[in-house]
Amino acid sequence: PGRGQRGEVAMASVLQDSIMSLSALRQRARADLCASLDKMRGAKALVMDRSLSGPLGLVAEKQLIKDHGVEKTFHLRSDQPLETELRRVVYLVRATMANMKTIAQHVKHHQQQRQKLEYLICLVPCRDMICERVLEDEGVYNDVQLGEYDLGLIPFEDDVMSMELPEAFRESQLEGNKASL
């Protein structure tokens, strides 16, 4: 028994000495966010899925977002159209059918108002064919640019991570969609 305990203690100390720094994940998420925002040059509005506000705050501070051209930030709302004087709009949203329908409503509203805006939709965590299909069905697919932003693993502290995919279990187990895994 004594030898096994010493072996376990020795193994624990080896693992303690090899703790992985999670700051690289945060730096990658920041760089990917900046690259997504920079796909659309100039001043822009950022429209976010409300559920992404907290996780995004762990990755990037407001100043970083402003440094990449974001002048105004909004939450995605289905009950009212987006009103902005900015001509470029970046949507950072979860890849859901409901979000795509809301964005399509926004685009159609701006078209009815004869506003010529540029749209970039960054889907979290990745592009989804169902979302593309909804945009096609709504008649706005050719009016938007599509991208993706993988905001999967978020470091909270140096040794704690969160997987920000709240629908992953339902999608993978109930719907058979393994994309989130």
Side-chain angles (χ1 to χ4, degrees):
R3 288 183 192 175
Q5 288 174 347
R6 272 184 261 167
E8 290 170 16
V9 170
M11 179 60 99
S13 87
V14 168
L15 291 176
Q16 282 180 334
D17 294 340
S18 66
I19 293 176
M20 180 180 111
S21 171
L22 300 179
S23 63
L25 287 174
R26 181 177 286 121
Q27 289 171 352
R28 180 173 177 221
R30 289 171 61 101
D32 289 350
L33 175 63
C34 294
S36 293
L37 293 173
D38 290 344
K39 286 181 183 176
M40 187 171 275
R41 297 204 181 276
K44 61 192 74 94
L46 175 63
V47 182
M48 288 190 301
D49 187 326
R50 189 173 295 278
S51 70
L52 295 175
S53 292
L56 196 62
L58 296 170
V59 170
E61 59 281 342
K62 284 187 177 191
Q63 188 58 49
L64 177 74
I65 293 170
K66 285 186 177 196
D67 290 345
H68 289 271
V70 175
E71 292 191 4
K72 290 197 175 182
T73 305
F74 302 91
H75 283 117
L76 183 66
R77 295 183 56 167
S78 61
D79 61 340
Q80 66 185 27
L82 174 68
E83 298 293 338
T84 181
E85 68 281 352
L86 296 165
R87 295 291 154 235
R88 294 172 194 89
V89 180
V90 176
Y91 288 92
L92 185 63
V93 296
R94 295 201 186 274
T96 67
M97 290 174 40
N99 284 345
M100 296 307 101
K101 288 183 179 187
T102 299
I103 292 170
Q105 288 174 357
H106 289 185
V107 172
K108 289 176 183 178
H109 172 78
H110 295 139
Q111 290 171 341
Q112 289 171 350
Q113 299 296 316
R114 304 239 189 266
Q115 294 177 314
K116 294 188 185 273
L117 281 85
E118 297 175 43
Y119 304 95
L120 170 64
I121 304 172
C122 294
L123 297 173
V124 176
C126 61
R127 281 179 77 151
D128 185 296
M129 290 179 67
I130 294 171
C131 291
E132 290 182 35
R133 180 61 184 225
V134 170
L135 294 171
E136 285 175 3
D137 291 347
E138 293 290 328
V140 299
Y141 181 79
N142 293 324
D143 300 315
V144 300
Q145 217 183 340
L146 283 176
E148 60 188 19
Y149 176 56
D150 184 10
L151 187 65
L153 293 174
I154 307 274
F156 282 120
E157 298 290 334
D158 289 339
D159 59 350
V160 179
M161 290 189 304
S162 173
M163 187 173 181
E164 293 298 321
L165 300 171
E167 302 296 321
F169 179 79
R170 181 183 56 77
E171 289 172 358
S172 65
Q173 299 301 312
L174 299 178
E175 297 173 2
N177 181 353
K178 307 292 184 194
S180 61
L181 302 177

